[in-house]
């Protein structure tokens, strides 16, 4: 795979980014939904900063508030309009404040958002994120709401400037859109048909991230393992994973989410044989009932799904496998639900994202007979959750005594300050809370620590003191380029001039798709 660069999208400085006193206006972005939305919000931040806006020190004090929406489930719509209802009062008290709504729900509801919330200034869709600065400027100039929804992709989003949330880890989109027709899902109609990036463009973005200090990337797509369908290479995803192994300095590679129907042996082999591809797999089950899977138009059955897990574990015995499951799909019987419980028991998922089915207007499932009463769905949901909690605890307890390498994160452990612990992710993506032994060196976010697991809960591991395991304490810190990048960010946020070492890196807001250019 050769490296080729794509032309970055230019964002012009906007007069609307300045207050009347000549100081920059501030922005805050609220993200609802999936990892794709999280990464889209990084692009929105990058586009706004390229236009002259600055991130608000306190989100509630921002001059511009952007809500990046999801349309997959009903509660996401409720969250949007709840947010907008609160912001109406804030806007009345703050002269010049603007509110923008983008993402999947904006693509779906379009003008209905301004009808329900006329205090919204801008509505934009999934295909024109780079238009946000211009739309804000137009709304301010014209003193009226601006609605711009494109029906097809304007530019590939990864060519937009991007402000990364993390110094150590980065999202990299390999495709957008989806060619499947799952009856419960509205995503294909909102994000369009699958559009694949060229391999060289992806590798160039990964290289830019690594040059900027990142040591971990997560490849994103609605169905990552169908990558290559647009240019006719059915083994392109496996080849892309193998190419990740050739990126010097890239220590961890993850991806989400694959589709079981298209998951092939060459991808399993690439995972097993590429050292920096992590032993973790998110494989959406959705239902363990073959009848429900057929009604969902999920083109696999439970036997094939379990066979994929067996094949992965044969090649990668320590793989942690996670999943998505929907409870209460129209027509789901007691026997169907029991099939789901059976498959979950056999699958031994490390964790599961479980959802109660909710009607999404515009999907085939919304018109199906057999919509289930809320009480039935709730009872099944609670039984599934209880089963998965037990399995997750058992799977995590099996980790006690293991030595794990943890990539330290910033702020992922909500109780770290109270418990005097640090937190991060192991190679198989389990959350680990760990203590630094007395006299031990404290790691920075982005550094890697080696610890022994001493206790477990359903959703995390603890590594406090290996003395509890009747052996000498185990704790080691490896300082990384990602930790150095975190140090540089801290210095920049405090207004400290960049050191020569810091100057020899790509900036935090970069036009991705291009390799980083280093000064000589």
């Amino acid at each position: 795979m050769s490296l080729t660069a794509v032309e970055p999208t230019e964002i012009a400085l906007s007069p609307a980014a300045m207050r009347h006193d000549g100081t920059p206006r501030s922005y805050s972005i609220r993200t609802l939904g999936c990892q794709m939305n999280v990464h889209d919000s990084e692009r929105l931040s990058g586009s706004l900063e390229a236009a002259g806006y600055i991130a608000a020190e306190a989100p509630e004090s921002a001059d511009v508030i952007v809500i990046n929406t999801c349309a997959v489930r009903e509660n996401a719509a409720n969250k949007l309009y709840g947010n907008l209802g609160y912001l109406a009062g804030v806007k009345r008290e703050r002269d010049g404040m603007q509110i923008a709504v983008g993402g999947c729900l904006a693509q779906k509801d379009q003008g209905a958002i301004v009808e329900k919330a006329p205090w919204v200034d801008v509505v934009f869709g999934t295909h024109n994120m780079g238009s946000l600065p211009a739309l804000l400027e137009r709304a301010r100039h014209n003193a009226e709401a601006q609605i711009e929804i494109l029906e097809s992709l304007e530019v590939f989003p990864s060519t937009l400037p991007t402000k990364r949330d993390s110094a150590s880890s980065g999202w990299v989109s390999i495709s957008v859109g989806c060619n499947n027709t799952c009856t419960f899902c509205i995503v294909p109609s909102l994000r369009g048909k699958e559009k694949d990036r060229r391999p060289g463009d992806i590798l160039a973005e990964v290289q830019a991230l690594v040059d900027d200090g990142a040591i971990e990337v997560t490849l994103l797509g609605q169905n990552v393992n169908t990558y290559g369908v647009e240019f006719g290479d059915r083994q392109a995803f496996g080849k892309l994973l193998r190419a990740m192994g050739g990126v010097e300095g890239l220590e961890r590679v993850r991806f989400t989410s694959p589709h079981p129907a298209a998951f092939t042996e060459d991808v399993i082999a690439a995972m097993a044989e590429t050292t920096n591809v992590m032993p973790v797999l998110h494989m959406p089950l959705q239902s363990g009932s073959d009848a429900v899977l057929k009604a969902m138009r999920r083109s696999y059955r439970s036997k094939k799904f379990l066979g994929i897990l067996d094949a992965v574990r044969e090649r990668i015995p320590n793989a942690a496998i996670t999943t998505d499951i929907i409870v209460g799909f129209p027509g789901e019987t007691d026997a169907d639900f029991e099939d789901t419980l059976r498959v979950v028991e056999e699958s031994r998922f490390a964790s599961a994202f479980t959802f109660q089915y909710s009607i999404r207007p515009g999907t085939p499932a919304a018109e199906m007979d057999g919509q289930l009463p809320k009480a039935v769905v709730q009872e099944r949901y609670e039984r599934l959750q209880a089963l998965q909690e037990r399995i997750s605890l058992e799977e995590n307890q099996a980790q006690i005594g293991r030595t794990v390498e943890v990539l330290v994160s910033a702020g992922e452990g909500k109780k770290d300050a109270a418990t005097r612990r640090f937190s991060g992710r192991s190679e198989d993506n389990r959350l680990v809370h760990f203590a630094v032994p007395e006299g031990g060196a404290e790691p920075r976010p982005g550094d890697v620590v080696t610890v022994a697991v001493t206790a477990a809960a359903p959703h995390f591991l603890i590594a406090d003191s290996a003395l509890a395991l009747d052996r000498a304490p185990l704790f080691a810190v490896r300082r990384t380029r990602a930790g150095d990048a975190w140090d540089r960010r801290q210095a920049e946020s405090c207004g400290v001039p960049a050191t020569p070492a810091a100057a020899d890196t790509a900036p935090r807001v970069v036009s991705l798709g291009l390799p980083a250019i280093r000064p000589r």
Side-chain angles (χ1 to χ4, degrees), residues 163 297 308 310 333 337 374 388 452 464-465 469 472 517:
K163 180 183 178 183
R297 289 189 199 149
I308 291 171
D310 288 342
T333 65
F337 180 65
K374 169 67 175 177
Q388 185 55 53
D464 272 350
S465 170
L469 301 174
I517 299 174

mmCIF file of all heavy atoms in Angstrom, residues 163 297 308 310 333 337 374 388 452 464-465 469 472 517:
data_model
loop_
_atom_site.group_PDB
_atom_site.id
_atom_site.type_symbol
_atom_site.label_atom_id
_atom_site.label_comp_id
_atom_site.label_asym_id
_atom_site.label_seq_id
_atom_site.Cartn_x
_atom_site.Cartn_y
_atom_site.Cartn_z
ATOM 1 N N LYS A 163 -9.247 18.613 15.821
ATOM 2 C CA LYS A 163 -8.645 18.837 17.128
ATOM 3 C C LYS A 163 -8.835 17.575 17.956
ATOM 4 O O LYS A 163 -9.947 17.239 18.361
ATOM 5 C CB LYS A 163 -9.283 20.025 17.840
ATOM 6 C CG LYS A 163 -8.668 20.287 19.211
ATOM 7 C CD LYS A 163 -9.362 21.423 19.928
ATOM 8 C CE LYS A 163 -8.741 21.626 21.308
ATOM 9 N NZ LYS A 163 -9.440 22.683 22.067
ATOM 10 N N ARG A 297 -33.093 -8.436 9.231
ATOM 11 C CA ARG A 297 -32.268 -8.478 8.014
ATOM 12 C C ARG A 297 -30.780 -8.480 8.360
ATOM 13 O O ARG A 297 -29.966 -7.825 7.695
ATOM 14 C CB ARG A 297 -32.575 -7.306 7.075
ATOM 15 C CG ARG A 297 -33.921 -7.388 6.391
ATOM 16 C CD ARG A 297 -34.036 -6.315 5.312
ATOM 17 N NE ARG A 297 -35.419 -6.061 4.959
ATOM 18 C CZ ARG A 297 -35.888 -4.870 4.552
ATOM 19 N NH1 ARG A 297 -35.051 -3.838 4.463
ATOM 20 N NH2 ARG A 297 -37.137 -4.716 4.259
ATOM 21 N N ILE A 308 -17.666 -17.736 14.523
ATOM 22 C CA ILE A 308 -16.671 -16.660 14.407
ATOM 23 C C ILE A 308 -15.928 -16.496 15.729
ATOM 24 O O ILE A 308 -14.691 -16.380 15.758
ATOM 25 C CB ILE A 308 -17.357 -15.336 14.009
ATOM 26 C CG1 ILE A 308 -17.872 -15.416 12.579
ATOM 27 C CG2 ILE A 308 -16.388 -14.161 14.152
ATOM 28 C CD1 ILE A 308 -18.757 -14.242 12.183
ATOM 29 N N ASP A 310 -15.448 -18.708 18.050
ATOM 30 C CA ASP A 310 -14.552 -19.860 18.237
ATOM 31 C C ASP A 310 -13.289 -19.696 17.407
ATOM 32 O O ASP A 310 -12.173 -19.982 17.886
ATOM 33 C CB ASP A 310 -15.271 -21.154 17.839
ATOM 34 C CG ASP A 310 -16.350 -21.572 18.827
ATOM 35 O OD1 ASP A 310 -16.331 -21.071 19.974
ATOM 36 O OD2 ASP A 310 -17.220 -22.385 18.442
ATOM 37 N N THR A 333 -40.462 -13.425 20.729
ATOM 38 C CA THR A 333 -41.209 -14.266 21.658
ATOM 39 C C THR A 333 -40.351 -14.610 22.868
ATOM 40 O O THR A 333 -39.138 -14.333 22.896
ATOM 41 C CB THR A 333 -41.645 -15.564 20.976
ATOM 42 O OG1 THR A 333 -40.458 -16.322 20.641
ATOM 43 C CG2 THR A 333 -42.445 -15.293 19.697
ATOM 44 N N PHE A 337 -36.217 -14.828 23.050
ATOM 45 C CA PHE A 337 -35.386 -14.199 24.075
ATOM 46 C C PHE A 337 -34.528 -15.234 24.791
ATOM 47 O O PHE A 337 -33.361 -14.974 25.110
ATOM 48 C CB PHE A 337 -36.257 -13.442 25.081
ATOM 49 C CG PHE A 337 -35.464 -12.780 26.168
ATOM 50 C CD1 PHE A 337 -34.577 -11.752 25.876
ATOM 51 C CD2 PHE A 337 -35.581 -13.209 27.485
ATOM 52 C CE1 PHE A 337 -33.826 -11.159 26.881
ATOM 53 C CE2 PHE A 337 -34.836 -12.622 28.492
ATOM 54 C CZ PHE A 337 -33.954 -11.591 28.194
ATOM 55 N N LYS A 374 -44.011 -2.205 26.927
ATOM 56 C CA LYS A 374 -42.833 -1.731 27.643
ATOM 57 C C LYS A 374 -42.471 -2.644 28.802
ATOM 58 O O LYS A 374 -41.293 -2.927 29.042
ATOM 59 C CB LYS A 374 -43.098 -0.303 28.138
ATOM 60 C CG LYS A 374 -42.070 0.241 29.129
ATOM 61 C CD LYS A 374 -40.717 0.433 28.490
ATOM 62 C CE LYS A 374 -39.751 1.084 29.486
ATOM 63 N NZ LYS A 374 -38.390 1.215 28.926
ATOM 64 N N GLN A 388 -25.387 -10.791 31.861
ATOM 65 C CA GLN A 388 -24.118 -10.265 31.367
ATOM 66 C C GLN A 388 -23.258 -9.732 32.507
ATOM 67 O O GLN A 388 -22.028 -9.864 32.456
ATOM 68 C CB GLN A 388 -24.353 -9.180 30.314
ATOM 69 C CG GLN A 388 -23.067 -8.673 29.673
ATOM 70 C CD GLN A 388 -22.233 -9.775 29.064
ATOM 71 O OE1 GLN A 388 -22.721 -10.561 28.261
ATOM 72 N NE2 GLN A 388 -20.957 -9.865 29.433
ATOM 73 N N ALA A 452 0.131 -5.937 38.063
ATOM 74 C CA ALA A 452 -0.527 -7.227 38.249
ATOM 75 C C ALA A 452 -1.945 -6.983 38.750
ATOM 76 O O ALA A 452 -2.164 -6.177 39.657
ATOM 77 C CB ALA A 452 0.238 -8.094 39.243
ATOM 78 N N ASP A 464 -3.758 -2.962 42.763
ATOM 79 C CA ASP A 464 -3.318 -2.119 43.875
ATOM 80 C C ASP A 464 -1.945 -2.519 44.395
ATOM 81 O O ASP A 464 -1.056 -1.716 44.521
ATOM 82 C CB ASP A 464 -4.334 -2.162 45.018
ATOM 83 C CG ASP A 464 -5.410 -1.100 44.845
ATOM 84 O OD1 ASP A 464 -5.248 -0.247 43.961
ATOM 85 O OD2 ASP A 464 -6.400 -1.149 45.572
ATOM 86 N N SER A 465 -1.789 -3.781 44.737
ATOM 87 C CA SER A 465 -0.506 -4.228 45.264
ATOM 88 C C SER A 465 -0.373 -5.709 45.009
ATOM 89 O O SER A 465 -1.217 -6.497 45.443
ATOM 90 C CB SER A 465 -0.400 -3.955 46.763
ATOM 91 O OG SER A 465 0.734 -4.595 47.292
ATOM 92 N N LEU A 469 -1.072 -10.919 46.159
ATOM 93 C CA LEU A 469 -0.952 -12.154 45.400
ATOM 94 C C LEU A 469 0.202 -13.016 45.917
ATOM 95 O O LEU A 469 0.611 -13.976 45.280
ATOM 96 C CB LEU A 469 -0.745 -11.847 43.921
ATOM 97 C CG LEU A 469 -1.862 -11.024 43.263
ATOM 98 C CD1 LEU A 469 -1.474 -10.652 41.851
ATOM 99 C CD2 LEU A 469 -3.168 -11.781 43.278
ATOM 100 N N ALA A 472 6.321 -10.518 45.187
ATOM 101 C CA ALA A 472 6.869 -9.163 45.253
ATOM 102 C C ALA A 472 6.007 -8.207 44.440
ATOM 103 O O ALA A 472 5.401 -8.593 43.441
ATOM 104 C CB ALA A 472 8.304 -9.166 44.724
ATOM 105 N N ILE A 517 4.565 17.238 8.504
ATOM 106 C CA ILE A 517 5.760 17.850 7.925
ATOM 107 C C ILE A 517 6.597 18.412 9.063
ATOM 108 O O ILE A 517 6.138 19.246 9.834
ATOM 109 C CB ILE A 517 5.388 18.975 6.954
ATOM 110 C CG1 ILE A 517 4.546 18.394 5.802
ATOM 111 C CG2 ILE A 517 6.622 19.661 6.406
ATOM 112 C CD1 ILE A 517 4.007 19.435 4.864
#
